[in-house]
Amino acid sequence: MSTELFNLKGKVALVTGSTHGLGMAMAKGLGMAGARLIVNGNSSQSKIDDAVDYYKSLGIDAYGFKFNVTNEEEVIKAINDIQSKVGSIDILVNNAGIIKRTPLEDMEVEDFKEVINVDLVSPFIVSKHVVKTMIAKKQGKIINICSMMSELGRNTVGAYAAAKGGLKMLTQNMATEWAKHNIQVNGIGPGYFATSQTAPIRVDGHPFNEFILNRTPAAKWGDPDDLAGAAIFLSSRASDFVNGHVLYVDGGILATIGKPSNES
Ligand code: GCO
């Protein structure tokens, strides 16, 4: 019984931004649990093809769809293509995101708007169109990828924090409106993970690197594969009565005030 609860066989899972990083780690987890994987990106077709080949090399049934999650027309067309070529989407992971690190007083309005558009508006756009079939089928799972910045501020990432804070509340409101259709909407809040996005601040000797190693009770950066379990749980029957919750996978950062660097 216990493993059956986490079995995703026969499910179709769309993970936006799943050609690399955290998106790829979560998508791999869903594929290994049996889901048929819809791989999405917007940079280049070859990057998507390479990712699909990688998933297939792991025995995962994967299909690539290049579309811009901020462009509603492209999203509508892609969802129709996916549904006609693969099947209706049972699991949606809104992972695609960007970050711009600039002090707020120096940030261009266009840059602020772009971060909000990709990190907050696109989860709304994609969910709005995917949920229609979930409502008709009276079942579905949506996972929004939040952040430590859904709870905490940090110098230079104001637009990102505004978006991720908003995404936490969007998650709660989606749950409020769609739970009655047996659709569970939850979030995952990654802590600090070793990805290309954090590479600039994860350099040996970089003050932020030392800060994170000291600030994180687990005393390490997360491995993207550490997110697979949370993604499978929130995509499976095991979470059928979990709604509007953000599951933080952060090595304990949010659990603690931290400690002075001279304390072990
Ligand atoms: C940063 C990091 C963070 C992490 C993550 C933390 O500059 O602080 O890039 O944004 O990526 O979101 O939860």
Side-chain angles (χ1 to χ4, degrees):
M1 164 98 143
S2 58
T3 48
E4 250 330 283
L5 274 177
F6 299 91
N7 184 350
L8 301 180
K9 204 156 187 37
K11 300 289 183 185
V12 174
L14 164 59
V15 181
T16 65
S18 47
T19 61
H20 66 288
L22 302 184
M24 176 169 266
M26 290 182 282
K28 189 170 65 177
L30 301 184
M32 302 300 269
R36 302 167 70 201
L37 204 52
I38 307 297
V39 180
N40 159 257
N42 190 40
S43 50
S44 71
Q45 190 58 47
S46 61
K47 200 169 176 192
I48 293 172
D49 298 343
D50 293 350
V52 168
D53 291 347
Y54 168 67
Y55 291 117
K56 284 185 172 168
S57 74
L58 300 173
I60 295 170
D61 192 6
Y63 309 80
F65 288 84
K66 180 177 182 305
F67 61 95
N68 175 352
V69 290
T70 68
N71 180 315
E72 190 169 19
E73 271 155 47
E74 278 191 37
V75 168
I76 294 169
K77 182 178 175 312
I79 291 168
N80 292 338
D81 284 354
I82 292 164
Q83 304 209 145
S84 58
K85 291 183 183 132
V86 183
S88 60
I89 297 163
D90 303 292
I91 300 162
L92 167 62
V93 181
N94 288 307
N95 166 76
I98 60 169
I99 192 166
K100 291 179 185 279
R101 300 185 180 96
T102 311
L104 282 167
E105 68 273 18
D106 302 332
M107 189 170 223
E108 298 298 334
V109 173
E110 280 322 301
D111 287 340
F112 188 96
K113 285 182 178 173
E114 190 191 350
V115 172
I116 299 292
N117 202 27
V118 178
D119 296 359
L120 180 57
V121 180
S122 79
F124 162 64
I125 293 174
V126 179
S127 302
K128 169 189 171 172
H129 292 288
V130 165
V131 83
K132 294 197 172 99
T133 314
M134 291 178 169
I135 289 172
K137 287 173 68 175
K138 278 249 163 273
Q139 63 171 6
K141 301 276 184 179
I142 297 178
I143 304 172
N144 294 324
I145 304 308
C146 298
S147 162
M148 295 291 95
M149 275 74 225
S150 297
E151 304 284 348
L152 303 171
R154 176 172 110 67
N155 289 337
T156 76
V157 295
Y160 184 80
K164 293 297 187 177
L167 188 56
K168 176 188 172 194
M169 283 315 302
L170 181 61
T171 300
Q172 287 183 219
N173 223 83
M174 285 176 173
T176 302
E177 294 190 22
W178 296 335
K180 61 179 174 288
H181 305 294
N182 187 32
I183 297 167
Q184 291 78 46
V185 186
N186 293 287
I188 291 176
Y192 280 85
F193 279 74
T195 64
S196 57
Q197 193 239 49
T198 58
I201 55 176
R202 187 166 34 85
V203 183
D204 273 349
H206 187 295
F208 195 76
N209 182 45
E210 308 312 317
F211 168 72
I212 285 298
L213 293 174
N214 187 54
R215 176 77 176 72
T216 308
K220 63 177 184 173
W221 290 76
D223 174 330
D225 288 341
D226 291 332
L227 288 174
I232 294 166
F233 167 60
L234 293 174
S235 298
S236 69
R237 281 196 301 119
S239 60
D240 276 0
F241 199 53
V242 180
N243 234 317
H245 181 75
V246 177
L247 176 52
Y248 289 103
V249 183
D250 66 354
I253 287 182
L254 291 179
T256 181
I257 193 173
K259 61 179 173 58
S261 51
N262 61 353
E263 241 178 60
S264 63

